[in-house]
Amino acid sequence: MSLIASPIPKWVQTKSINSSNLKKQQRLPLNPNFFLSISERKRSRPTRCSTVVSTEEQNAAIFDFKRYMEEKAARVNSALDAAVALREPRRIHESMRYSLLAGGKRVRPILCIAACELMGGAELTAMPAACAVEIIHTMSLIHDDLPCLDNDDFRRGKPTNHKVFGESVAVLAGDALLALAFEHVAASTRGASAERVVRAVAELGRCIGSEGLVGGQVADICSEGVATVGLEQLEYIHMHKTAALLEASVVMGAILGGGDEEAVERLRKFSQCIGLLFQVVDDILDVTKSSSELGKTAGKDLIADKTTYPKLIGVEKSRELAEELKKEAYNEISGFDPLRVAPLISLANYIAYRNN
């Protein structure tokens, strides 16, 4: 049965994230145990003085973000290389490694490590979970690029997995990576209690399942070519399809780092803001950058007749929304130790101002 022919699910509507700065809209409800309304968070969040945020920004400004990212990414790459060794059956492992080790900014695993270290945990404790989120991210890219979904020929400047290994092997490589992610967290995590490891595994499963990444992907497919898709449906898609895995990255790190419930929930809200921010910026880049600059096919959302933020509200309003989400992310983590939180502030800036 064609998913594209299926109607967009009719969710009951509540207040939209963007109603204050755009126009009065209503948004689709999200599972109250899954994502909270950002507008509700604004009402419920304790008032914090703006000088705290500016102090954190000052610390982020003197923080050597480039060096931090290079060093963390190098260690993540080494851990990923070890996690997916080249062994028999050789063909499937070649396919898995081809996409997993093809490069990338490693934002998700570094977010996981930074959240763990913010809570006082060690990088080594977070590393298996950090690898797991990147492994799942790679799985999602392999599957997204397939002809039955986005039908893309290039990813990270290289031919997509199915173009090199064939569709059948690409599908199975994604399946194998998904299974490996959960095995790796359960079997390789050290320095955290069994209870926290189980919580982290459950968090990962919830954020990528039918009410997370997969649910957002299905809603995205169902929305292609549908003229009535509005901001509320678009937010639903991106809070699930894109933001969910970023949320899992941060929350898993906070859990494994020993964070209490309040700290974990504050970081959850931060991750939801930067998750939606990531997609808004991605939509802007898709219509303002070339394929060579992006390392993937530019303008493919327009070709597929997908609803995007620039399509609905224009590029400038999309940039305003990105700035609002970045500020909201800052507010969610104000009050943490300024030096320890600097990596997360810098990562939020990086997501907001990246060029590919």
Side-chain angles (χ1 to χ4, degrees):
M1 181 180 72
S2 174
L3 286 171
I4 296 176
S6 303
I8 298 174
K10 297 184 181 298
W11 297 281
V12 180
Q13 296 177 335
T14 57
K15 187 176 179 183
S16 169
I17 179 177
N18 306 321
S19 58
S20 60
N21 285 347
L22 300 173
K23 62 181 181 179
K24 294 296 180 182
Q25 292 281 344
Q26 290 184 323
R27 71 180 292 239
L28 305 175
L30 305 174
N31 184 326
N33 295 319
F34 189 44
F35 292 113
L36 295 174
S37 163
I38 290 181
S39 58
E40 286 296 319
R41 296 202 298 271
K42 287 181 178 178
R43 289 194 292 271
S44 63
R45 188 178 60 248
T47 301
R48 298 187 178 95
C49 103
S50 59
T51 57
V52 176
V53 177
S54 63
T55 298
E56 289 163 343
E57 290 185 80
Q58 289 170 10
N59 279 288
I62 61 175
F63 172 67
D64 192 342
F65 180 64
K66 184 175 184 293
R67 178 179 177 182
Y68 177 87
M69 289 292 286
E70 288 175 350
E71 291 178 352
K72 294 293 188 189
R75 291 196 286 272
V76 167
N77 286 333
S78 295
L80 290 170
D81 184 35
V84 188
L86 187 56
R87 53 185 181 271
E88 297 297 334
R90 194 174 184 87
R91 184 70 171 171
I92 189 67
H93 288 100
E94 287 176 342
S95 177
M96 294 162 69
R97 288 172 59 85
Y98 175 81
S99 293
L100 185 63
L101 304 179
K105 297 172 282 290
R106 307 308 191 201
V107 170
R108 292 160 188 82
I110 294 174
L111 279 167
C112 182
I113 293 168
C116 181
E117 292 181 330
L118 175 60
M119 296 295 100
E123 178 186 296
L124 288 176
T125 299
M127 189 60 78
C131 288
V133 294
E134 189 66 14
I135 288 168
I136 288 176
H137 177 54
T138 300
M139 173 277 295
S140 73
L141 298 181
I142 293 173
H143 284 179
D144 280 354
D145 290 336
L146 290 168
C148 61
L149 290 175
D150 286 352
N151 192 24
D152 215 332
D153 294 342
F154 292 96
R155 174 70 66 178
R156 292 171 174 166
K158 299 172 61 176
T160 47
N161 197 290
H162 68 275
K163 287 293 181 180
V164 177
F165 295 93
E167 290 181 39
S168 57
V169 172
V171 169
L172 293 170
D175 294 343
L177 287 167
L178 180 60
L180 173 64
F182 289 94
E183 175 191 351
H184 195 57
V185 177
S188 302
T189 302
R190 301 290 183 270
S193 68
E195 179 185 1
R196 287 187 177 270
V197 174
V198 170
R199 282 181 61 194
V201 169
E203 184 73 30
L204 184 60
R206 182 178 62 77
C207 284
I208 66 170
S210 60
E211 293 185 346
L213 186 154
V214 171
Q217 180 71 67
V218 170
D220 189 30
I221 292 170
C222 294
S223 74
E224 289 181 12
V226 178
T228 57
V229 176
L231 285 172
E232 63 274 10
Q233 288 94 344
L234 186 61
E235 184 184 325
Y236 178 92
I237 290 167
H238 294 324
M239 287 294 283
H240 292 71
K241 179 182 175 182
T242 303
L245 190 53
L246 284 161
E247 179 184 358
S249 304
V250 173
V251 174
M252 288 174 73
I255 290 170
L256 294 171
D260 60 24
E261 291 302 320
E262 180 185 359
V264 169
E265 289 310 306
R266 285 178 61 193
L267 285 174
R268 184 187 300 281
K269 294 169 188 176
F270 164 81
S271 67
Q272 290 164 5
C273 292
I274 64 169
L276 188 55
L277 170 64
F278 190 99
Q279 187 59 53
V280 173
V281 172
D282 212 50
D283 283 357
I284 294 169
L285 293 175
D286 190 61
V287 296
T288 60
K289 297 292 182 179
S290 67
S291 297
S292 60
E293 289 172 310
L294 294 177
K296 58 183 180 180
T297 305
K300 65 178 182 178
D301 291 338
L302 292 175
I303 296 170
D305 198 20
K306 286 187 177 183
T307 302
T308 65
Y309 282 99
K311 182 178 178 180
L312 284 183
I313 62 176
V315 172
E316 287 309 312
K317 285 291 186 182
S318 297
R319 285 175 173 150
E320 289 175 15
L321 174 58
E323 187 66 22
E324 179 188 348
L325 287 165
K326 186 194 72 172
K327 290 177 181 177
E328 177 73 7
Y330 284 169
N331 286 337
E332 295 296 353
I333 55 174
S334 65
F336 283 114
D337 179 88
L339 294 177
R340 283 188 175 181
V341 84
L344 289 180
I345 293 287
S346 297
L347 280 159
N349 281 332
Y350 174 76
I351 289 170
Y353 301 124
R354 76 188 197 279
N355 291 314
N356 56 31

